[in-house]
Amino acid sequence: GADTGASAARDAAHFCHRRGNRRHWPSRPGRGNSDEGGLPLFDNFTSDLLVAFLGLFPIINPFSTAPVFLTLTASMPPEKRRRQAARACVYAAAIMLGVLFLGAMILDFFSIAIADLRIAGGLVLCYVGFKMLFPPESTTADAEALSTADFAFVPLAMPLLSGPGSFAVLIGMSAEIAPDSGVGIYVRYAAVVVAVLIAAAISWVVLRGAQSIVRFLGPSGLEAVSKFMGFILICIGLNMISSGVEREVDDYLKKIRVSAARIGASSHV
C-alpha cells in the first residue's frame, strides 16, 4: 500500500546498499549472539521481530491498497476477488523474502539502486493510474476480459504491497544481520521472516474486507472511487519518480564533489 509512498521510501532508504556502500540498520544496546553473551535468543528474536514489523508494516500499509484492490476487482465474482487478495499477499510475501535473502546481491550484480526501483515503480503506478482515470470504452468482451484479468502480481503485490520502501528496509536488515555468526544469525533472519509473514497475513485480512465496501458503494460509487484512486496513483507514481530522480542527482553531485576534492588535493601535492 503506502509502500509506494515516496516519503516512506525516503525514510527507509538509509537501510539500503547504494551500489556497494553499506548503510547499517541502527544497532541497539545489548545486541549480540547468545553464544557471545548479550541477550538470550528468545529476547533477540522478539526484539528483531518487533523492529522488523514496525519498520515494514507502515510502509506496506494495506489500508491504502484496499481502495485500489476493490476498484480493480469490482467486476470480478466474489470468489475470484478472494483469490486475487490471497495471491497478491502470497506474491508480496515471496517478493519480500526474496529481497531479504537475495536483494542486495541482485541489485549489486545489475548495478541497480533503490532510486532506480522508485523510478520504475512510479512509472508502473502512473500507467495503472491513467488507465483507471481515463478508462477506454468498454465492450462486453472487455468486461469479460477484465473480470478474468489477474492483478495479483502487478500492481497489487508489486509495487503496491511490496516496493522500493520495503526493499530498502529488508536489504538494510539483511546487511546488518549478515556479519553475525553462530545461531544468532538464524534467529535474526527467522524474526524478519515471521515479521514479513505477519504483515502479509494482516494485508490479506484487510483486502478481504474490501468486499463489503464493494457491496456498499454499488456501480456508480465504484466508478467514482476508481477515477479518484487513478488520480491518487498518478500522484504517488510521480512522487516516486521525482524522489528517485532527486536521489540519483544527489548521488551524482556527491560523486562530482568527491572527484573535485581529490583533484584539488592532488594538485596541492
Side-chain angles (χ1 to χ4, degrees):
D3 185 330
T4 57
S7 60
R10 279 196 296 270
D11 293 338
H14 69 284
F15 290 123
C16 71
H17 283 284
R18 169 63 192 182
R19 290 178 181 163
N21 295 328
R22 175 172 292 176
R23 302 178 181 181
H24 290 292
W25 191 18
S27 58
R28 295 184 296 283
R31 174 61 73 203
N33 296 333
S34 62
D35 53 348
E36 300 173 354
L39 295 176
L41 283 180
F42 180 76
D43 290 342
N44 276 344
F45 178 85
T46 54
S47 175
D48 283 322
L49 173 61
L50 182 62
V51 171
F53 179 78
L54 294 179
L56 282 172
F57 191 73
I59 299 176
I60 296 172
N61 192 5
F63 300 101
S64 64
T65 302
V68 180
F69 170 77
L70 69 88
T71 300
L72 293 175
T73 61
S75 60
M76 297 180 181
E79 184 59 33
K80 169 81 171 179
R81 195 179 302 121
R82 285 193 291 269
R83 287 199 301 271
Q84 288 284 291
R87 291 174 63 185
C89 295
V90 169
Y91 290 156
I95 292 169
M96 287 188 285
L97 292 178
V99 168
L100 174 65
F101 293 107
L102 301 173
M105 181 180 67
I106 294 174
L107 294 185
D108 287 342
F109 181 79
F110 290 103
S111 298
I112 299 173
I114 295 296
D116 303 328
L117 293 179
R118 289 184 199 160
I119 295 172
L123 291 173
V124 171
L125 288 185
C126 285
Y127 172 74
V128 175
F130 272 111
K131 290 188 68 175
M132 293 169 61
L133 187 59
F134 304 108
E137 292 294 329
S138 59
T139 63
T140 303
D142 293 332
E144 292 177 355
L146 188 61
S147 66
T148 59
D150 191 341
F151 301 104
F153 192 83
V154 177
L156 294 176
M158 190 177 69
L160 289 176
L161 289 175
S162 62
S166 60
F167 295 168
V169 172
L170 290 166
I171 291 172
M173 291 177 180
S174 178
E176 200 227 347
I177 293 172
D180 284 7
S181 59
V183 179
I185 189 171
Y186 301 106
V187 172
R188 299 187 67 189
Y189 269 122
V192 180
V193 169
V194 172
V196 169
L197 296 179
I198 292 174
I202 296 175
S203 300
W204 173 72
V205 172
V206 172
L207 295 185
R208 276 192 61 119
Q211 295 186 59
S212 59
I213 303 177
V214 173
R215 291 192 295 268
F216 174 76
L217 291 177
S220 58
L222 281 175
E223 183 179 358
V225 170
S226 176
K227 292 183 179 296
F228 176 74
M229 289 310 303
F231 177 74
I232 295 299
L233 280 185
I234 294 172
C235 294
I236 293 174
L238 290 175
N239 197 359
M240 289 179 66
I241 293 171
S242 63
S243 172
V245 170
E246 179 183 359
R247 176 87 179 188
E248 292 281 10
V249 171
D250 184 57
D251 287 339
Y252 181 72
L253 293 177
K254 285 180 180 177
K255 290 179 181 179
I256 292 178
R257 286 195 292 268
V258 170
S259 299
R262 289 176 178 173
I263 294 173
S266 61
S267 64
H268 286 85
V269 174

